[in-house]
């Protein structure tokens, strides 16, 4: 089902640079095989939730975001925007870059070189998804909470969600799957992060986005989002 540890570790530490065409073809074939074994999850496989104006537009799905076939999936990136270089690290940034293939890091490197500085917190960039089932990956840098939570942290997280929604709409994505931005290693409290995500999505009015999926990995995040939907 999964890449060998050796291959994945090599991909994790590889610097962004072009790959020979034949080697790239072999990588793509291998990743396509792994994707087929894991199984692709389409929107028709995810129950639509929500009531009133939100009816049918919101979904919760618990599992591996690299299996989702949506217009875009959201990657919780760091400010370098080059993916996680720590071998075999289980963060979402590492997983997305691993299963997208080495093309993703190279594309991100090109974007950052053109920008000339690190990515500001709260903004987003879009890239092709390469070997992932989704069409695009939207990379956003969430706030790092290494002190008591402040209104600025909350404003920056709102900006992450708005930036992702805007760039998805501008690129005709139709649907987007959000990870739990800034929770986990960035230490944003899960309950407040989910509240901000839900509030921001509810107030968004770009109707070209027909479906928004809250992708969760932990049971506690699934329960939080379900409670928010039930309370709307």
């Amino acid at each position: 089902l999964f890449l060998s540890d050796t291959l994945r570790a090599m991909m994790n530490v590889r610097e962004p640079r072009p790959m020979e065409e034949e080697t790239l073809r072999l990588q793509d074939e291998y990743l396509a095989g792994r994707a087929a074994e894991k199984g692709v999850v389409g929107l028709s496989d995810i129950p639509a939730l929500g009531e009133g104006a939100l009816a049918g537009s919101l979904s919760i799905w618990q599992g591996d975001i690299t299996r989702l076939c949506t217009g875009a999936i959201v990657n919780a990136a760091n400010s370098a925007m080059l993916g996680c270089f720590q071998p075999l690290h289980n963060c979402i940034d590492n997983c997305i870059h691993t299963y997208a293939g080495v093309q993703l890091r190279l594309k991100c490197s090109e974007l950052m070189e053109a920008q000339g500085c690190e990515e500001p917190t709260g903004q987003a960039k879009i890239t092709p998804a390469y070997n992932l089932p989704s069409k695009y990956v939207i990379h956003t840098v969430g706030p790092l909470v290494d002190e008591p939570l402040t209104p600025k942290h909350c404003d920056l997280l709102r900006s992450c969600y708005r930036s992702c929604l805007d760039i998805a709409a501008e690129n005709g994505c139709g649907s987007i799957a959000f990870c739990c931005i800034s929770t986990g290693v960035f230490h944003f409290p899960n309950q407040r992060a989910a509240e901000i995500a839900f509030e921001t999505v509810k107030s968004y009015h770009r109707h070209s986005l027909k479906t928004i999926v809250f992708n969760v990995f932990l049971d506690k995040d699934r329960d939080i989002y379900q409670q928010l939907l039930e309370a709307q």
Side-chain angles (χ1 to χ4, degrees), residues 154-219:
C154 296
D155 288 342
L156 287 169
L157 188 60
R158 287 189 192 93
S159 180
C160 286
Y161 282 93
R162 284 195 301 266
S163 296
C164 290
L165 291 164
D166 283 341
I167 203 168
E170 289 162 6
N171 284 272
C173 291
S175 59
I176 183 173
F178 280 105
C179 63
C180 299
I181 303 168
S182 270
T183 58
V185 297
F186 274 31
H187 308 303
F188 206 107
N190 297 64
Q191 177 73 38
R192 187 67 187 118
E195 291 169 355
I196 290 169
F198 190 70
E199 291 161 3
T200 306
V201 164
K202 278 182 63 178
S203 65
Y204 193 75
H205 300 295
R206 298 285 288 273
H207 298 296
S208 59
L209 285 173
K210 302 300 183 184
T211 306
I212 296 170
V213 179
F214 294 114
N215 170 246
V216 299
F217 190 73
L218 301 176
D219 289 348

Side-chain angles (χ1 to χ4, degrees), residues 1 31-46 61-71 73 99 129-135 175 215:
L1 265 179
L31 290 175
R34 303 294 76 70
E37 288 174 357
K38 289 197 298 181
V40 173
V41 177
L43 293 176
S44 62
D45 301 313
I46 305 172
W61 187 75
Q62 184 175 17
D64 178 0
I65 200 169
T66 67
R67 296 177 60 199
L68 288 180
C69 183
T70 52
I73 60 172
Y99 289 96
Y130 298 103
N131 291 289
L132 295 170
S134 60
K135 185 175 182 180
S175 59
N215 170 246

